Amino acid sequence: MAKPAIELKNITKRFGSKVVANKNVCLSVYKGEILSLLGENGSGKTTLMNIISGIYYPDEGKIFIDGEEVVIRSPKDAFKYKIGMIHQHFKLIDVFSAAQNIVLGLKEEERFDIKTVTAKVKQISEQYGFDIDPNKKIYEMSVSEKQTVEIIKVLYRGADILILDEPTAVLTPQETQKLFAILRRMKEAGKAIIIITHKLHEVLSLSDKVAVLRKGEYIGTVVTAETNEAQLTEMMVGKKISLNINRSLPKDPVDRLAVKNLCCVNAEGVKVLDDISFSARSGEILGIAGIAGSGQRELLEAIAGLQPVQSGDIIYNNPKTGSQDELRGKTPIQIRELGVRLSFVPEDRLGMGLVGNMDIIDNMMLRSYRKGKTMFLERKKPKDLAERIINDLEVVTPSAQTPVRKLSGGNVQKVLVGREIAASPTVLMAAYPVRGLDINSSYAIYNLLNQQKENGVAVIFVGEDLDVLIELCDRILVISSGKVSGIVDGRKADKGEIGLMMTKAGGGSKNEN
Amino acid sequence: MKTNEKTIKEPLFHITRRTDIPRLRAWGIRLIAIFSALIVSALVIVTITNYNPVEVYVKMFEGSFGSQRKFFILLQNTAMLLCVSLAVTPAFKMKFWNLGAEGQVLVGGLASAACMFYAKDSMPSWLLILVMLVTSILSGIIWGVLPAIFKAIWRTNESLFTLMMNYVAMQLVSFFIMVWVPNGSSVMGVINQQSECGWLPTIFGQRYSINIIIVALLTVFMFIYLHFSKQGYEISVVGESENTARYVGINVKKVIIRTMIISGAICGLTGFLLVSGTNHTISRELAGGMGFTAIMVAWLAKFEPTMMILTSMFIVFLQKGAGEIATAFRLNESVSDIITGIIIFFIIGSEFFINYKINMRSKQKEAQV
């Protein structure tokens, strides 16, 4: 029997002493085979691929190429073993042509003979059915064309083992079909292909085998022909775990924030939010579930007035005046001037929610520094607030004058959540508020959100851990590729069902109407 | 488990970022840097000139503190350099790389000179001074705010823009000198030498007292502005993270433009002080590279106005000392520039050792892979 083109045995990679990114992962791919690597975000897929391509070095385990044990210490070594990686974020030089980018970094003489290069690029294109003009400049290319250049780049270097990190995330369905056709042709030409993805239907239509990772652990490999969506979902999300979060019934919920047919387009012109409608009710936690990058960030930022909205409405029902205010097209300041008490814990804590180099007191002022009629800052109240938050939330810090970047992740988050809650909001939005936090800090944050709910705040919670969403939220909005797949009751929700909704092709609409 | 597998060698040394360093230690590193600089300079002095380095250093010191006159010139030059440094500080804190202070000072000076040249003694000196002050500040603002507007609206590169504006300013000065001095010498004489109209008056028996007082007040103002005003706070937020600024609803465009108005205005003011208080004439070398030296002054002081008093004085001290040894020992100016260069190199280099730690490879055998 032939040896696998690449085989991993018991690969383990730790970051620091606590985080285990990969644990005992075993994989093998034969020539002429496509393996899908499936897993949720943070399950260690990219880490594993970075190990194969020489960016990380594993702590334990062995790698075999054609049956021989090898050590891959750098991307150069990976190149030597004919491993080519196509990253999710393209590494191309905009002002160079496709051909120039393809030979960039090669030592051979031919690098300077652009005619030979062009000819070889053309030959590769014809062999696999790429459609590319070698002389076109990168900045004139579409996303799909750029990806083609990346793929030809590794083929040009003679790669036999290709790794594609979420190649379809940036493609339209038609482009995806084209890419798959090419991948199948490569498979026929005897290449070993590993494709990272979390879209189940793609896995099923393209790959021969599926390997599943969950929270860094290797769950197993199954043959695609012998499996189905339900089994893969269960492997991916796992069995239900109980967290014992105390969830009370919402007290007389009323619609506080209604989002209607919201559409957003990002800077690249891709539709990131497509006809999103839902309402957030007072005294209730609305969870938002979805694969990362399905539009969660854009949705919250659109509500907060940070993201331009193409069409649709964001209506706020003011509990004081009873009026209905349109928030769409308003700046954060205008929203506040309307009397909307909207608090927002963004995903990027130190890059958006806080200023890393400023101390806790100055960070407390971020939202309120305009108060007072003089041109000078009033630091007394922020100082009191800082001290209160340090006390109440047990923030571990040398003093209130410590720059927040020096605090640990959990404490940074407490400072941020503490400040947002201190504004006594009527709507509180939190994006991945427990990401990177240890268990205790996570529970502290869950409890804070729960308290806010009990105080009658409409809480919107974007999470990635389905167990937590199911235990914490009253209702869960599931989005997929910028579309609403459905809204489920948190008390009756089933993890597998949510998992399926998250991975639905292009978002579905069967739960609507 | 494994036997003949290759071991992965740890590199000979690797560099890690220090998160925290005690202040005392940081100053210790800086002191060591200055001493090392003096030793290296001494070696250079001995090998190139054969003079006793100690004598050279004494002369260098005398360049600034040799006489009362020299001391006042030190203060005056420090004040001017400090003034430009204060001007660039808010922009740099906002991460707006204003490389155009030179030009902004120059147009400020040009505006003052133009007022003096055309008004002669047609109005009382105090009124002329007022007119000069206003036109200088306005010219500085125009030179500063143009790149800011382009950056705010069209996201142009402010470094290139401000840098190019310097050349425009220089050519403007050349042009006006040519118009004003018809004899073709291209050197503008002292303006209003007889009437002293538009000259800042001498107080406390010293020519430059007013300059020094104004800059001292400005330092206090900038300190308060940056630390205790809402606008100063906005500058810090925008400089740290534009995303955070948007998140809290700061109008980033407005802050960029407003801050460059301040930056340009102070540069224009410096131009006015140089023409009205110090030189009473205009030349292309009015700013004399201060627009760039000021960036170093501000950076060395970590954009802290109070610290800038020290750093600007230190830089001027080095410049004066270099000039002094050049004349005293009949050295080529370049030798003194070499010494100044070495000292500054060491000081800036010491910041690396304050921010980073060098870890050597540990002695014991690396773990088997």
Side-chain angles (χ1 to χ4, degrees):
Chain A
M1 193 182 152
K3 295 258 165 66
I6 183 165
E7 186 173 14
L8 309 183
K9 275 189 182 161
N10 299 320
I11 295 287
T12 297
K13 175 76 189 170
R14 295 183 197 90
F15 291 112
S17 56
K18 278 184 190 163
V19 183
V20 184
N22 287 142
K23 194 173 168 192
N24 287 329
V25 178
C26 303
L27 281 186
S28 62
V29 191
Y30 290 86
K31 290 210 164 86
E33 198 173 56
I34 299 179
L35 172 91
S36 292
L37 189 58
L38 189 66
E40 286 184 295
N41 278 90
S43 57
K45 297 176 303 224
T46 304
T47 307
L48 189 66
M49 291 305 110
N50 281 337
I51 288 173
I52 300 177
S53 54
I55 293 167
Y56 294 146
Y57 191 81
D59 297 325
E60 286 164 34
K62 294 180 193 179
I63 301 174
F64 298 86
I65 303 273
D66 295 327
E68 296 228 358
E69 184 171 354
V70 296
V71 177
I72 304 173
R73 244 170 306 181
S74 65
K76 221 169 128 191
D77 284 352
F79 170 46
K80 196 172 78 192
Y81 296 121
K82 298 188 182 300
I83 299 169
M85 173 121 182
I86 292 112
H87 293 272
Q88 205 172 352
H89 302 283
F90 305 135
K91 298 171 185 336
L92 298 169
I93 295 176
D94 268 356
V95 293
F96 280 10
S97 70
Q100 282 169 328
N101 266 290
I102 285 164
V103 290
L104 192 72
L106 285 181
K107 286 214 178 74
E108 284 93 310
E109 299 289 312
E110 63 180 272
R111 175 159 77 153
F112 301 104
D113 180 9
I114 210 76
K115 265 189 191 157
T116 325
V117 175
T118 312
K120 201 170 159 193
V121 168
K122 282 218 167 103
Q123 184 245 318
I124 294 174
S125 304
E126 275 162 28
Q127 189 184 344
Y128 298 107
F130 291 113
D131 182 18
I132 192 90
D133 172 8
N135 296 317
K136 199 169 176 183
K137 299 267 195 288
I138 299 298
Y139 64 82
E140 295 171 325
M141 290 187 173
S142 69
V143 180
S144 151
E145 283 177 294
K146 288 181 193 170
Q147 188 179 55
T148 307
V149 176
E150 284 280 8
I151 297 173
I152 297 178
K153 198 162 94 182
V154 300
L155 291 174
Y156 190 95
R157 285 160 166 72
D160 284 331
I161 302 163
L162 279 94
I163 304 164
L164 297 101
D165 189 0
E166 303 203 10
T168 60
V170 290
L171 301 182
T172 64
Q174 293 76 18
E175 289 168 337
T176 305
Q177 286 315 314
K178 232 164 109 187
L179 173 71
F180 284 1
I182 287 168
L183 291 179
R184 286 192 192 104
R185 235 163 285 158
M186 286 194 217
K187 170 183 150 182
E188 280 157 25
K191 308 273 183 204
I193 297 168
I194 302 176
I195 169 169
I196 301 181
T197 181
H198 43 230
K199 294 180 184 165
L200 282 177
H201 65 105
E202 292 179 355
V203 171
L204 292 168
S205 73
L206 180 71
S207 59
D208 302 300
K209 286 194 300 193
V210 190
V212 183
L213 296 181
R214 182 169 75 223
K215 291 176 184 164
E217 275 186 69
Y218 173 64
I219 304 301
T221 303
V222 290
V223 177
T224 313
E226 297 165 6
T227 186
N228 54 44
E229 285 198 19
Q231 188 196 357
L232 288 178
T233 309
E234 200 195 304
M235 286 174 79
M236 197 164 99
V237 297
K239 292 252 189 302
K240 200 168 175 293
I241 309 161
S242 186
L243 294 162
N244 294 320
I245 298 172
N246 180 23
R247 172 168 53 187
S248 57
L249 275 171
K251 271 178 247 148
D252 13 288
V254 289
D255 283 6
R256 179 66 63 227
L257 190 76
V259 172
K260 289 175 191 160
N261 310 100
L262 193 69
C263 294
C264 276
V265 174
N266 70 4
E268 282 88 48
V270 177
K271 210 163 197 181
V272 282
L273 292 181
D274 190 357
D275 202 21
I276 297 264
S277 296
F278 69 91
S279 62
R281 299 175 188 152
S282 63
E284 179 188 86
I285 299 182
L286 174 73
I288 298 183
I291 304 288
S294 302
Q296 296 94 320
R297 185 173 58 81
E298 288 82 0
L299 177 58
L300 296 199
E301 288 188 4
I303 295 172
L306 300 171
Q307 167 90 27
V309 173
Q310 202 187 24
S311 62
D313 297 298
I314 305 163
I315 307 288
Y316 174 75
N317 294 310
N318 197 323
K320 271 201 186 133
T321 60
S323 65
Q324 295 200 330
D325 302 317
E326 170 71 84
L327 305 188
R328 177 190 158 194
K330 297 215 161 55
T331 65
I333 293 282
Q334 287 170 326
I335 290 175
R336 214 168 319 155
E337 279 165 357
L338 272 177
V340 179
R341 294 212 305 275
L342 177 70
S343 281
F344 179 24
V345 178
E347 184 179 344
D348 188 358
R349 291 159 207 164
L350 288 177
M352 189 181 238
L354 299 166
V355 178
N357 277 328
M358 286 185 176
D359 63 20
I360 301 178
I361 299 172
D362 279 15
N363 269 298
M364 287 301 135
M365 298 194 298
L366 264 177
R367 283 214 188 252
S368 60
Y369 76 94
R370 289 183 193 82
K371 277 186 190 147
K373 287 198 182 79
T374 64
M375 66 168 285
F376 293 106
L377 294 166
E378 143 74 70
R379 277 200 174 83
K380 178 80 183 73
K381 276 182 196 154
K383 186 163 184 280
D384 293 344
L385 176 61
E387 273 157 13
R388 209 173 70 220
I389 287 176
I390 291 170
N391 268 327
D392 293 356
L393 305 187
E394 293 164 352
V395 178
V396 182
T397 170
S399 74
Q401 277 86 9
T402 308
V404 289
R405 78 184 144 83
K406 292 195 174 160
L407 307 182
S408 74
N411 288 310
V412 168
Q413 188 65 314
K414 282 178 186 170
V415 169
L416 175 54
V417 174
R419 183 191 72 205
E420 291 303 301
I421 288 175
S424 48
T426 49
V427 179
L428 172 65
M429 301 192 290
Y432 307 110
V434 299
R435 181 180 284 174
L437 268 53
D438 60 37
I439 289 289
N440 287 326
S441 307
S442 301
Y443 272 89
I445 301 294
Y446 298 147
N447 286 332
L448 284 172
L449 296 180
N450 239 341
Q451 272 170 26
Q452 290 303 303
K453 162 192 162 180
E454 279 161 17
N455 292 344
V457 176
V459 180
I460 299 176
F461 169 76
V462 177
E464 45 199 348
D465 191 329
L466 289 183
D467 291 316
V468 172
L469 281 164
I470 290 172
E471 292 258 324
L472 183 68
C473 303
D474 301 293
R475 287 183 306 144
I476 301 167
L477 171 79
V478 188
I479 56 177
S480 166
S481 312
K483 286 184 182 172
V484 175
S485 313
I487 296 177
V488 295
D489 187 329
R491 287 174 180 78
K492 294 175 197 153
D494 172 65
K495 208 166 157 183
E497 180 198 356
I498 295 179
L500 276 177
M501 288 164 81
M502 278 163 59
T503 49
K504 201 181 282 175
S509 55
K510 78 176 175 202
N511 293 36
E512 284 168 4
N513 304 324
Chain B
M1 268 165 68
K2 329 188 176 84
T3 47
N4 56 354
E5 200 43 65
K6 282 177 238 165
T7 55
I8 301 303
K9 268 202 167 172
E10 200 185 321
L12 182 61
F13 63 87
H14 66 276
I15 295 160
T16 49
R17 228 190 136 84
R18 288 183 204 264
T19 46
D20 218 353
I21 183 165
R23 257 184 197 201
L24 215 63
R25 183 116 177 251
W27 281 104
I29 292 174
R30 289 194 187 105
L31 268 180
I32 293 170
I34 292 178
F35 274 110
S36 329
L38 291 178
I39 290 165
V40 174
S41 306
L43 288 175
V44 171
I45 292 166
V46 173
T47 46
I48 298 181
T49 67
N50 260 329
Y51 288 113
N52 179 354
V54 177
E55 271 177 46
V56 174
Y57 287 145
V58 169
K59 265 282 168 242
M60 203 171 168
F61 189 77
E62 281 175 4
S64 302
F65 300 99
S67 67
Q68 203 197 20
R69 203 183 86 83
K70 282 179 178 163
F71 181 64
F72 268 97
I73 290 176
L74 171 83
L75 287 188
Q76 137 72 15
N77 287 5
T78 303
M80 288 302 101
L81 182 59
L82 178 58
C83 196
V84 187
S85 310
L86 291 171
V88 296
T89 298
F92 272 72
K93 262 201 121 163
M94 196 176 63
K95 301 221 164 79
F96 182 101
W97 312 120
N98 178 14
L99 305 183
E102 192 88 358
Q104 291 151 21
V105 172
L106 213 48
V107 289
L110 181 64
S112 275
C115 291
M116 279 165 83
F117 182 83
Y118 288 116
K120 301 257 167 13
D121 49 2
S122 60
M123 55 178 101
S125 192
W126 66 267
L127 185 61
L128 181 56
I129 288 174
L130 205 67
V131 172
M132 287 158 68
L133 180 68
V134 171
T135 50
S136 292
I137 289 179
L138 282 179
S139 324
I141 288 176
I142 292 170
W143 241 244
V145 85
L146 266 177
I149 292 172
F150 275 76
K151 159 116 177 168
I153 299 175
W154 294 289
R155 302 240 125 224
T156 55
N157 181 313
E158 75 275 17
S159 314
L160 285 174
F161 204 136
T162 50
L163 199 60
M164 290 302 143
M165 292 289 278
N166 289 340
Y167 298 104
V168 180
M170 258 186 244
Q171 297 308 322
L172 267 183
V173 172
S174 294
F175 172 79
F176 276 104
I177 291 177
M178 228 133 52
V179 171
W180 294 337
V181 187
N183 66 12
S185 70
S186 304
V187 177
M188 185 87 188
V190 174
I191 312 171
N192 293 353
Q193 181 134 37
Q194 296 300 312
S195 60
E196 296 201 354
C197 199
W199 292 25
L200 283 179
T202 302
I203 56 166
F204 305 134
Q206 281 301 335
R207 244 279 158 67
Y208 312 125
S209 301
I210 290 189
N211 283 11
I212 295 168
I213 292 167
I214 289 178
V215 176
L217 290 174
L218 202 62
T219 313
V220 175
F221 163 79
M222 192 50 79
F223 177 78
I224 294 172
Y225 182 74
L226 289 177
H227 289 280
F228 300 105
S229 80
K230 290 175 184 173
Q231 297 191 358
Y233 182 77
E234 287 178 339
I235 289 174
S236 302
V237 175
V238 171
E240 287 286 341
S241 156
E242 265 190 42
N243 257 337
T244 310
R246 284 193 321 120
Y247 163 76
V248 296
I250 292 173
N251 186 339
V252 176
K253 288 177 184 165
K254 193 175 113 190
V255 174
I256 289 177
I257 291 171
R258 186 181 67 203
T259 307
M260 273 312 289
I261 287 177
I262 293 170
S263 193
I266 300 176
C267 281
L269 172 74
T270 319
F272 159 78
L273 291 177
L274 281 169
V275 169
S276 177
T278 316
N279 297 343
H280 314 301
T281 182
I282 180 90
S283 75
R284 281 171 58 135
E285 283 75 44
L286 181 77
M290 274 198 301
F292 299 102
T293 317
I295 296 170
M296 186 164 69
V297 168
W299 215 297
L300 277 176
K302 306 228 158 64
F303 306 111
E304 194 49 66
T306 44
M307 284 294 294
M308 271 180 230
I309 301 173
L310 291 181
T311 51
S312 58
M313 189 178 275
F314 181 69
I315 299 286
V316 173
F317 164 76
L318 285 180
Q319 284 172 348
K320 292 283 141 200
E324 185 78 10
I325 52 177
T327 43
F329 295 95
R330 295 201 195 149
L331 290 177
N332 188 320
E333 281 272 358
S334 309
V335 176
S336 38
D337 281 345
I338 290 173
I339 297 173
T340 321
I342 291 173
I343 294 176
I344 292 173
F345 175 81
F346 270 81
I347 290 176
I348 294 174
S350 73
E351 295 300 311
F352 174 82
F353 292 95
I354 289 168
N355 287 321
Y356 295 93
K357 193 174 156 195
I358 299 193
N359 306 285
M360 300 305 284
R361 177 161 61 194
S362 50
K363 288 260 164 59
Q364 71 263 34
K365 260 271 178 251
E366 292 80 22
Q368 290 272 310
V369 182

